[in-house]
Amino acid sequence: MKKSILFIFLTAAFAVMGHAQITNADISKQFTFTNDNFDFGKIPYGKPAEYTLTITNIGKDTATLDDVRPSCGCTTPQFERGNKFAPGQSATVVLGFNGNTLGTFYKTAGIFLNNYKLSKQVTFKGETYQENKSADSAKSKQTGTILHQ
């Protein structure tokens, strides 16, 4: 009995993995992605930043943008859920980052298309830096100006 349950479980697991590999391999035949590996470079710590990801339908059928799932709460996606776009047309996703990670960051988001049959993981990275407040303070003392934040 235990062997047959294990056999059924393993068969189902391999079937799911095989299906995922086949459909995700097909994604490059149906879509092109612009900015799917985006580099913000250096941005000020605590200041939100965003960029636009463009998905172009190069397939033969109308596509649907089902969902965008970021890897953490520091990333906010803006997109039209259920957006249908014909061959030759594009859909956009704006990915925002709150900037509250000090130093180097690397984030991901999953893009799900065509009734969740196709997916792609996109990435963005960068480095946040803290603005030198002591230099600003010294500047204001020298010039007699008041700096507002």
Side-chain angles (χ1 to χ4, degrees):
M1 177 72 176
K2 288 181 184 179
K3 286 183 181 181
S4 62
I5 292 173
L6 180 62
F7 176 75
I8 292 170
F9 175 76
L10 289 175
T11 303
F14 285 122
V16 168
M17 288 189 311
H19 177 70
Q21 289 174 347
I22 291 168
T23 58
N24 285 331
D26 292 339
I27 199 162
S28 64
K29 296 175 185 172
Q30 295 180 30
F31 301 99
T32 60
F33 294 82
T34 305
N35 290 334
D36 57 335
N37 187 16
F38 189 78
D39 188 350
F40 278 108
K42 292 188 177 204
I43 59 174
Y45 172 75
K47 301 230 174 154
E50 59 184 29
Y51 76 98
T52 301
L53 166 74
T54 303
I55 307 163
T56 303
N57 182 350
I58 60 170
K60 296 177 184 173
D61 299 316
T62 297
T64 305
L65 176 58
D66 298 315
D67 202 1
V68 178
R69 295 181 187 163
S71 60
C72 70
C74 63
T75 303
T76 53
Q78 297 172 31
F79 67 100
E80 183 183 339
R81 188 179 309 275
N83 180 20
K84 295 191 181 303
F85 52 113
Q89 293 183 330
S90 298
T92 59
V93 175
V94 176
L95 289 169
F97 173 62
N98 67 12
N100 288 331
T101 298
L102 188 56
T104 303
F105 61 89
Y106 179 86
K107 306 294 178 182
T108 63
I111 309 295
F112 296 89
L113 301 145
N114 292 353
N115 296 316
Y116 294 88
K117 292 178 183 171
L118 297 173
S119 65
K120 177 166 177 75
Q121 182 172 307
V122 298
T123 63
F124 63 89
K125 63 182 179 176
E127 182 178 351
T128 59
Y129 64 91
Q130 283 193 309
E131 297 175 308
N132 190 348
K133 294 183 185 211
S134 62
D136 291 342
S137 170
K139 233 188 247 182
S140 68
K141 287 179 184 175
Q142 291 173 351
T143 62
T145 59
I146 299 173
L147 298 176
H148 296 281
Q149 296 199 29

